[in-house]
Amino acid sequence: MLKESISITSMASISSLGSSSDAIWDSYKNKLHFLGKRQFGKDEEWAATFQEAVQKEIDLLRNSEDKYQDLDPSVLYALNVSRKAIESSAWEPNSNFGINIGSSRGATALFEKYHEAFLKNNRAATLTSPTTTLGNISSWVAHDLNCRGPEISHSITCSTALHALLNGIAWIQSGMVDKFLVGGSEAPLTPFTIAQMKALKIYADKPNENIESDASQKYPCLALDLTKKRNSMVLGEGAAVVCLEKGLQEKAFALIEGVGYATEPLQHNISISADALCFQRSMRMALGSTDPSEVDVIVMHAPGTIKGDMSEYRAIEKVFGPRIPALTTNKWKLGHTFGASGMLSLELAVLMLQHQEFVPVPYVAPTGAPEKLSKVMVNAVGFGGNAVTVLLSTMPSYS
């Protein structure tokens, strides 16, 4: 358990669901997915892309200053959501707060572009190095916000954003800062990235009508469907951040009661054990002294792969026994955004707590929606079993 609760006082995101809290919640309230077919080189693949209004926001940002025109989309996404979160939090842009925004892939589009040019011309473009370094994201956000606090970037694959949250909490509890902006940003919709996922045989393909359920004809990504016969992961672009503050803040959207983390021994480069030992450990750590029966909902990582979804479910069975909380995920709707995915899952958890409404997965048999939401758990895991779990609760006035 934490020494004291950490307040989430602001959040902002962009994804295929939209860019405002109201629009995002409206998107969650319907049974539609936001995945579509898009051309990647010679192939057409499923992906979750920004709506036109969101893309216009990014284009305006890119063209607002000359120095922003050479930045990778992942950096621009982070700048966009960070500005919104700081404005909403009422933090002074030049005040002493920390920043930790990570990414799984980093400057994917620029790296591929510059490397292709290098292979062709046998020399690198002038701005190759400064615009493709992983630290690019937090450093540019710090520059944009004129932040005076520490700035950190890292990559821990798909648990990156929640590892950023862990870092922010550690800095706050150390007493070195009182506030931290944390999150993740990902722009993975490139031919090479899609090809990598297809090489692993985990990417969504055209359903086989002879063996697939009706749901598979309607939903390209079958995240949390434990009966699926094929891997169905779909990539999406997005970014999400939250503002963390020490203690119980009256303006808080939700409280962080506990955090957990674990890494399990590797059997393979992308392996996770059959019952996700890393998740078992991270969930138990996040629970601390909290009775598992108090958890109302778990927002699962559930990437839409057969082994990934099942192993996480088995871990939940091990920790919660016969009284499993209501389960949900958002990857069937907005895709897997790699390093940003954990924070987008946390955003869903906060929205459910705020609206006191459970968001189900439409093709999964309902297990009963809780009448009241007090505590929601969020899971994320990256290649190699780097798991993080966060336990959120409502503000005392909601309880």
Side-chain angles (χ1 to χ4, degrees), residues 66-196:
D66 288 344
K67 58 179 175 287
Y68 289 165
Q69 294 192 12
D70 293 314
L71 297 181
D72 187 75
S74 61
V75 179
L76 296 171
Y77 300 171
L79 291 175
N80 176 284
V81 296
S82 297
R83 285 181 178 184
K84 293 175 182 176
I86 294 302
E87 181 180 3
S88 177
S89 71
W91 293 1
E92 292 295 329
N94 61 352
S95 61
N96 183 28
F97 60 87
I99 296 172
N100 190 169
I101 303 174
S103 179
S104 175
R105 315 297 299 185
T108 310
L110 276 189
F111 194 91
E112 292 181 25
K113 170 188 169 184
Y114 284 139
H115 187 252
E116 183 179 5
F118 171 74
L119 293 178
K120 182 179 179 180
N121 303 319
N122 199 34
R123 65 171 180 265
T126 303
L127 295 179
T128 301
S129 178
T131 57
T132 59
T133 55
L134 187 59
N136 218 19
I137 296 179
S138 287
S139 60
W140 273 106
V141 171
H143 163 81
D144 188 65
L145 300 177
N146 194 21
C147 172
R148 299 178 184 177
E151 55 190 70
I152 307 165
S153 290
H154 67 259
S155 174
I156 309 179
T157 61
C158 303
S159 56
T160 294
L162 292 193
H163 272 285
L165 181 139
L166 294 180
N167 286 343
I169 290 173
W171 276 79
I172 290 172
Q173 296 213 316
S174 74
M176 298 179 71
V177 292
D178 292 329
K179 303 173 183 177
F180 234 95
L181 176 69
V182 300
S185 181
E186 207 72 57
L189 301 183
T190 68
F192 185 49
T193 307
I194 299 290
Q196 291 175 64

Side-chain angles (χ1 to χ4, degrees), residues 362-383:
Y363 49 80
V364 174
T367 55
E371 294 181 3
K372 180 182 178 182
L373 300 181
S374 297
K375 296 184 190 294
V376 178
M377 180 173 278
V378 181
N379 280 338
V381 69
F383 281 158

Side-chain angles (χ1 to χ4, degrees), residues 298-375:
I298 301 176
V299 181
M300 294 174 62
H301 180 72
T305 62
I306 295 172
K307 291 183 179 179
D309 292 9
M310 181 58 77
S311 63
E312 184 178 0
Y313 181 78
R314 287 174 176 160
I316 291 170
E317 286 184 313
K318 293 277 189 180
V319 174
F320 289 88
R323 299 184 63 181
I324 293 178
L327 304 178
T328 191
T329 183
N330 57 12
K331 292 183 179 64
W332 67 273
K333 184 178 278 283
L334 55 78
H336 192 350
T337 55
F338 283 156
S341 63
M343 197 57 70
L344 287 165
S345 293
L346 187 136
E347 178 186 54
L348 170 58
V350 172
L351 288 171
M352 287 191 292
L353 288 171
Q354 282 185 305
H355 293 274
Q356 285 296 291
E357 184 175 347
F358 175 65
V359 175
V361 178
Y363 49 80
V364 174
T367 55
E371 294 181 3
K372 180 182 178 182
L373 300 181
S374 297
K375 296 184 190 294

Side-chain angles (χ1 to χ4, degrees), residues 24 26 99 113 158 183 196 213 216 241 245 270 324 343 391:
I24 292 164
D26 285 344
I99 296 172
K113 170 188 169 184
C158 303
Q196 291 175 64
S213 64
S216 69
V241 295
E245 296 191 39
I270 61 170
I324 293 178
M343 197 57 70
L391 181 61

